[in-house]
Amino acid sequence: MKEKEIKAIVSKMTLEQKAAYTTGKNGWQTKDYPEIGVKPMWMSDGPNGLRKQIDLANTVKSTAFPTACAVAASFNPELAFEEGQAIGEICQAENVQMILGPGVCIKRSPLCGRNFEYYSEDPFLAGKMGTGYVKGVHKAGVGVSLKHYLCNSQETRRMTSSSEVDERTLREIYLPAFEMVVKEAQPDTLMASYNKINGTYATANKYFMTDVLRNEWGYKGAVVSDWGATHDRVGAIKAGTDLTMECQDRTNNEIVEAVKNGTLDVKLLDKCCENVLALATKTLDAHKEGATFDYDKGHQIAKKIEEESIVLLKNDGVLPLKDNKKIAIIGDLAYEMKIGGGGSAAVQSTHVVSVVDALKDKKNVTCCHGYETLAVKVNPELKEEALKNAKEADVAVLFVGQYTVMESEGYDRWDMKLPAVQIDLIQAIKAVQPHLVIVIENGSPLEMPWIDLPEAVLDMYFGGEGAGEAIADVLFGKVNPSGHLPESFPLRLEDNPSYLSFVGEGDIVHYQEGVFVGYRYYETKKAKVLFPFGYGLSYTDFLYSDLKLSSKSFKAGDEIKASVKVKNVGKREGKALVQLYVGVGFNDTDFLRPVRELKGFEKVNLKPGEEKEVEFTLNKRSFACYDVKAKDWKVAGGDYQIQIGKDAHEIVLSAPLHVINEDIPGAREKVTYGTVICDIEKIPEAHPFIDKAIAIMGQVVEKMGLGGDKKTREAMMDIMPKKNTGIEVQILSTLVMLTQGAIKPEEWDEFIKMLNNRK
Ligand code: BGC
C-alpha cells in the first residue's frame, strides 16, 4: 500500500481510534477496524524459532534452531540468513506476520540471563549476524523486531534500571550492531527495551527512538515497545515509539486528552498510526495463505547450523573418536540436552534428537546419566555406573552444563561455575579413564578450573533440536568443527571488565568500563583469559600468508583493500575463519582506544592442500572513533596495523598502514596562547612556524642548561616516544617564553590569527 493510501486510512480514524491503534489488540495482535479496512497483524516470539502462544495453555510447536550465541559461533552470516528464512517460512505456515527477534544487544557481562539470545560481545559480529537473520526472515515475506533497543545488558531490575553510558561508548559499542542492521536490512520494527538509558526509559527516549534512529540512520520502519515497557503513552508517542505492547487500552484516554488540551500534536499521533498501519499492511500483504512448512527440513537446517557452531576448545589428539574404540557417553545432559534458554525465547520443539538418540545404533557406545542435572548432591548409584562405563571404555565423553534454570530471561546468572556434582564427576572419571572428552552445553562462558583434566573439550552452546546429531557427527569426525567463540572466556568472573559495576547500585548501572568491553579490555590490558574471542580449533590446520594492502596509507573517505591467503595444510577438509583486526597503539591521546578491533571476517571451506585468497574492504568506519565534540566519526592519524588473527589474541600476520589524521576537533578549536602544542601540531599549516620556534627554543634551552647536557638530550629524543613529550605537552605561551623574544610578539599574534582563519 502506498504512503498516500496509508495516510488516507489513518485520516478516517477517530481520535479515540487513533489513540487505541498505538497499542495492541491483545498480547500478540495489532488492532483492527474492519469498517475502514484495517486488519490485525499477528506477532510472535523468536528469535531462535517460532514461539506462537495461542493462549496461556497452548503454544504452537516449531523447529528449535540453535540460539543466537551458537549461531554467532559459526561466524557465518549466511547461516543466520538460512535460520531467519526458515523461521519466516514457519511464520507463514502459522499465520504469523512478525517474529520478535533477532537480539543484537552486546554481551557486557557473562552473567546476563539473556546472553544466549544475543550474538556477541563485538558489535561488528553481532551486526553481521543480525543483518543475515533479518534478510532471511524478509526473504520469506515476514516482519522482524530487532531487540532490545538499547543497552538492555542485564535482567536484574530490567524494568526500572538506568544504563548510564557515555556517548562514545554508546556509539562505538552498544549502537553499531543496531545501526548496521538498520542500514543494511531495514528491519520492520525495533523493540524499545524495558530499561532507561541515561535516565530516560527507552520507550520515551526521543534521542534514541527518533534523533539517532530515524534522523541519523534513516530508519523507515516502526518502533514497538517491549511488552509492558511503556510507562507514559504520550511520552512514547512524542519519542517515536509507535506501538505499545501488549494491550494498554486503559491509558488510551491520556492520549486523547493530550491531543485535546494541546500538549500532544496530533500529527505525531498520526505518524505512529501510519507506521503501525504500514507495518501491518506490508506484512499482511506478504502473507502466503495456505503455506505449509516441512518440519523435517527445519530440523535438518537446525542441525546444519549447529554443526558449524560447535567450538573445539582443546584437543590433545583424542578427537575425532575412532569407530573401533569403545566409547562411554555420560551425563544427564546427553539425554535431555539444553537446546535453548528459558523465557520468551523458549521454543517448543517438534522433535529433539539427543546425542544418546543419535548414537543409539553404534555398537561401540554405552550411555549413562552419571548425575542429575538439577541435583546439588552426588547420586552414588549414577556415579558408580558412570565410573564403571568410563573404566571399561577406551574414551569417556562427559556432557556438562549449568543448571537448566540458570540461563533465562528474568534473572541473571550468579556465577560462571559448573555445578559441583559435575566437577566431582570430571575428577572421578579422570582418575579411572585418562582419555576424557568434555562437551559443554551453555548459553554463556564458564569458568574451567578443571581444564587440564580432559584431553579434549567441545563447546556446543545451546544448539537447538539437532544438537545431538550435530555433536555426534563432530565427535566421530563426520563433521570437522569450525566454530569460534563469539565472546571471551575469562579465567574468572572477576576478570571481566564489567565486574565491578554489574548489576549496578539500585537502579543505576554505570557502564564504567566504557568501550573496553570483552576482548577490547583483555587485549588492551594484556590480561590472560581462558579462551580469547574468536578462538576455535579444527581437526585440520590452516596457514595464513601474503597479507597485502592496496595502499600504504589511508585517509578518511578512501577505501582500502586487504587480501590474505589461507591454506589447508592438514589432512582433512575443513572451514577456516579469517579474522581481520585493525590494530592501533594505545598511546593515542585523541581517543583512548582498544589495541585492536574486529573489522572483517570470512569463513572459507578448504580441501586438504587447497588455498584461497580472501579480500576485505576497509573504509572510514573501520578506523574511526566517535568524537563527542564533533558529534561525528573521526579518524585519528598515526601508524596502524592491519592484523590477521586466529583469534583476538593470536595475531599471525600484520601489515603497517599509515593513517592520515582527519580534522579532529582538538585541532579545530580556537587557537590561543593557552592551546597545548600537540594540538597545534595537528594542523599542517602550523608546522613551518612551530618547527622554527621549537628549533629556537632548543638553542635557548641548551644555553640555559635546562635540558641537561647535549648528549643526554639527544639520547632522550631517541628513546622517548615522539608524541606528547617535552614541549608538546606545554602550551603556546611556554614556547613564546622559551624563544626569549627571538620571534616578535606581532609574529605570534599573526600566527594565531592565520590558524584561526584557515578554512
Ligand atoms: C521480552 C521480549 C519478548 C516479549 C514478548 C518480553 O518480556 O523481553 O523479548 O519478545 O516479552 O514475549
Side-chain angles (χ1 to χ4, degrees):
M1 206 185 276
K2 300 231 169 58
E3 207 183 317
K4 241 168 92 184
E5 294 166 64
I6 301 269
K7 280 186 191 292
I9 295 179
V10 170
S11 73
K12 286 186 198 148
M13 292 181 187
T14 63
L15 178 57
E16 287 70 19
Q17 278 181 321
K18 285 179 188 172
Y21 198 56
T22 63
T23 187
K25 176 179 177 176
N26 48 43
W28 305 107
Q29 282 178 296
T30 54
K31 293 237 168 55
D32 54 322
Y33 303 136
E35 66 283 8
I36 50 170
V38 174
K39 295 186 195 142
M41 178 202 92
W42 191 291
M43 55 199 111
S44 279
D45 268 319
N48 46 286
L50 172 70
R51 191 185 71 89
K52 183 176 183 182
Q53 199 177 306
I54 310 286
D55 52 43
L56 285 180
N58 293 293
T59 301
V60 170
K61 281 192 185 266
S62 164
T63 305
F65 292 92
T67 53
C69 58
V71 189
S74 76
F75 272 77
N76 185 348
E78 282 169 28
L79 292 179
F81 179 94
E82 266 191 68
E83 177 173 325
Q85 188 177 2
I87 292 173
E89 287 169 9
I90 294 173
C91 289
Q92 288 286 7
E94 295 294 344
N95 198 4
V96 168
Q97 281 74 54
M98 185 164 94
I99 190 87
L100 302 175
V104 293
C105 289
I106 294 302
K107 301 187 195 202
R108 177 176 177 242
S109 161
L111 297 183
C112 172
R114 296 186 91 169
N115 273 354
F116 74 90
E117 286 185 63
Y118 302 138
Y119 289 113
S120 180
E121 68 186 25
D122 180 80
F124 186 80
L125 176 59
K128 288 286 172 205
M129 301 308 289
T131 300
Y133 181 103
V134 171
K135 286 187 173 170
V137 179
H138 282 171
K139 180 92 188 289
V142 169
V144 299
S145 197
L146 188 67
K147 61 193 189 183
H148 301 93
Y149 184 65
L150 180 73
C151 292
N152 189 177
S153 317
Q154 64 183 57
E155 289 299 282
T156 307
R157 299 175 82 100
R158 67 171 171 166
M159 293 178 123
T160 50
S161 65
S162 177
S163 303
E164 302 285 318
V165 196
D166 68 83
E167 183 72 15
R168 187 175 152 215
T169 302
L170 283 164
R171 297 288 182 160
E172 292 186 21
I173 303 293
Y174 295 96
L175 284 165
F178 288 97
E179 180 183 3
M180 192 190 287
V181 183
V182 164
K183 288 182 174 166
E184 292 184 15
Q186 276 291 338
D188 309 84
T189 71
L190 268 82
M191 188 187 287
S193 56
Y194 284 124
N195 55 291
K196 296 173 193 154
I197 308 127
N198 294 331
T200 307
Y201 277 111
T203 49
N205 208 316
K206 181 172 170 291
Y207 180 60
F208 295 107
M209 301 304 137
T210 297
D211 300 351
V212 172
L213 178 63
R214 299 176 204 264
N215 300 345
E216 283 186 38
W217 298 347
Y219 180 60
K220 299 275 180 280
V223 172
V224 178
S225 81
D226 200 341
W227 271 225
T230 302
H231 300 264
D232 167 9
R233 293 286 301 284
V234 174
I237 289 169
K238 286 185 180 167
T241 301
D242 304 296
L243 179 65
T244 281
M245 288 302 286
E246 327 180 19
C247 173
Q248 267 196 29
D249 278 344
R250 69 189 152 79
T251 47
N252 290 347
N253 216 23
E254 292 172 8
I255 300 170
V256 174
E257 281 307 307
V259 173
K260 284 188 179 158
N261 68 25
T263 48
L264 175 66
D265 184 348
V266 75
K267 283 200 199 109
L268 293 177
L269 176 61
D270 286 352
K271 188 69 200 149
C272 292
C273 293
E274 285 159 21
N275 285 344
V276 178
L277 185 59
L279 165 74
T281 315
K282 179 186 160 202
T283 54
L284 285 164
D285 284 353
H287 176 59
K288 297 175 186 138
E289 196 53 43
T292 54
F293 185 75
D294 174 358
Y295 282 100
D296 288 334
K297 180 183 111 179
H299 185 83
Q300 288 315 316
I301 295 172
K303 172 179 179 269
K304 180 178 132 185
I305 298 171
E306 176 61 1
E307 284 172 1
E308 266 202 45
S309 306
I310 294 170
V311 188
L312 179 62
L313 294 176
K314 176 177 178 181
N315 188 14
D316 292 350
V318 66
L319 291 179
L321 301 171
K322 319 267 170 322
D323 262 329
N324 59 359
K325 300 270 181 196
K326 282 205 271 174
I327 312 296
I329 301 286
I330 302 166
D332 218 8
L333 284 166
Y335 289 82
E336 203 164 316
M337 303 187 77
K338 282 179 73 165
I339 61 166
S344 60
V347 177
Q348 308 286 308
S349 163
T350 53
H351 92 281
V352 183
V353 181
S354 72
V355 65
V356 172
D357 294 335
L359 295 174
K360 69 178 183 309
D361 294 333
K362 282 207 183 273
K363 301 260 171 318
N364 56 333
V365 172
T366 61
C367 298
C368 67
H369 289 265
Y371 60 87
E372 293 161 298
T373 310
L374 288 172
V376 276
K377 280 209 186 112
V378 172
N379 178 324
E381 279 164 37
L382 295 183
K383 184 174 174 184
E384 198 180 317
E385 184 188 16
L387 296 183
K388 183 171 170 285
N389 282 8
K391 203 169 170 182
E392 286 172 2
D394 298 309
V395 180
V397 182
L398 175 61
F399 283 73
V400 298
Q402 278 195 320
Y403 298 112
T404 318
V405 290
M406 275 188 80
E407 292 184 73
S408 172
E409 175 179 344
Y411 46 88
D412 298 308
R413 292 194 299 167
W414 47 93
D415 66 28
M416 287 172 52
K417 299 182 199 315
L418 274 185
V421 167
Q422 297 180 27
I423 298 183
D424 169 75
L425 199 56
I426 295 176
Q427 288 161 342
I429 294 179
K430 182 69 186 181
V432 297
Q433 175 52 262
H435 304 301
L436 171 62
V437 177
I438 299 288
V439 181
I440 306 166
E441 298 169 29
N442 57 322
S444 277
L446 287 174
E447 287 169 7
M448 303 183 200
W450 40 263
I451 189 72
D452 291 337
L453 298 180
E455 289 186 337
V457 179
L458 283 158
D459 188 337
M460 59 190 296
Y461 279 108
F462 292 165
E465 63 177 47
E469 292 143 299
I471 192 70
D473 286 349
V474 167
L475 283 168
F476 283 91
K478 214 168 138 192
V479 168
N480 189 350
S482 64
H484 288 253
L485 296 178
E487 59 197 325
S488 316
F489 275 41
L491 281 165
R492 309 171 310 152
L493 172 63
E494 293 80 356
D495 297 340
N496 179 265
S498 76
Y499 179 72
L500 292 177
S501 59
F502 190 87
V503 289
E505 292 175 319
D507 279 337
I508 300 296
V509 191
H510 284 289
Y511 285 37
Q512 43 97 53
E513 67 285 357
V515 296
F516 296 95
V517 172
Y519 73 87
R520 286 168 165 76
Y521 167 81
Y522 300 116
E523 286 307 306
T524 307
K525 188 86 195 297
K526 294 193 171 68
K528 211 168 170 315
V529 290
L530 178 60
F531 297 110
F533 171 88
Y535 179 84
L537 304 172
S538 164
Y539 294 154
T540 188
D541 288 312
F542 301 105
L543 196 73
Y544 302 81
S545 66
D546 288 313
L547 171 60
K548 286 194 196 113
L549 304 183
S550 59
S551 165
K552 282 197 169 65
S553 71
F554 174 87
K555 71 172 179 338
D558 287 354
E559 265 191 3
I560 185 164
K561 301 231 185 284
S563 62
V564 62
K565 287 184 184 153
V566 54
K567 185 173 183 178
N568 184 343
V569 291
K571 294 196 174 64
R572 278 171 186 269
E573 183 168 351
K575 292 190 166 88
L577 175 67
V578 187
Q579 303 170 41
L580 182 143
Y581 295 87
V582 168
V584 289
F586 187 55
N587 213 359
D588 184 332
T589 53
D590 286 323
F591 302 105
L592 292 177
R593 62 200 294 185
V595 289
R596 72 178 58 94
E597 293 181 276
L598 183 75
K599 297 296 172 185
F601 61 87
E602 195 163 328
K603 214 167 187 189
V604 276
N605 190 66
L606 295 167
K607 299 222 158 54
E610 196 183 358
E611 183 173 60
K612 282 185 186 156
E613 191 172 52
V614 177
E615 191 179 79
F616 299 96
T617 304
L618 302 172
N619 56 27
K620 173 171 172 176
R621 274 296 280 275
S622 316
F623 300 95
C625 287
Y626 190 79
D627 193 310
V628 284
K629 279 191 199 154
K631 294 193 170 46
D632 202 358
W633 294 90
K634 292 283 176 186
V635 171
D639 292 324
Y640 287 58
Q641 296 286 328
I642 301 303
Q643 303 171 331
I644 299 298
K646 283 193 169 173
D647 51 57
H649 183 68
E650 192 181 344
I651 300 303
V652 287
L653 295 171
S654 189
L657 179 71
H658 182 70
V659 172
I660 294 159
N661 200 42
E662 208 183 356
D663 196 10
I664 312 234
R668 252 302 165 209
E669 271 164 26
K670 197 163 181 273
V671 177
T672 65
Y673 282 99
T675 302
V676 66
I677 291 171
C678 60
D679 275 352
I680 296 179
E681 285 184 329
K682 287 179 193 143
I683 309 168
E685 293 92 321
H687 286 179
F689 190 90
I690 280 285
D691 289 350
K692 181 177 94 181
I694 290 176
I696 297 171
M697 177 206 74
Q699 293 157 14
V700 172
V701 167
E702 201 176 331
K703 269 193 215 138
M704 290 161 77
L706 270 177
D709 64 282
K710 192 164 177 245
K711 229 164 132 195
T712 314
R713 266 200 324 277
E714 279 169 4
M716 272 176 73
M717 291 315 282
D718 283 344
I719 56 171
M720 278 173 100
K722 291 282 174 278
K723 244 180 127 185
N724 302 333
T725 56
I727 190 65
E728 271 82 9
V729 301
Q730 309 285 349
I731 54 176
L732 198 58
S733 61
T734 318
L735 192 56
V736 175
M737 185 185 77
L738 290 174
T739 45
Q740 295 279 301
I743 297 173
K744 295 201 191 78
E746 314 81 79
E747 286 181 77
W748 284 109
D749 287 346
E750 202 47 46
F751 170 62
I752 293 176
K753 213 161 118 197
M754 181 274 285
L755 295 182
N756 287 330
N757 288 343
R758 80 192 198 281
K759 287 211 185 81

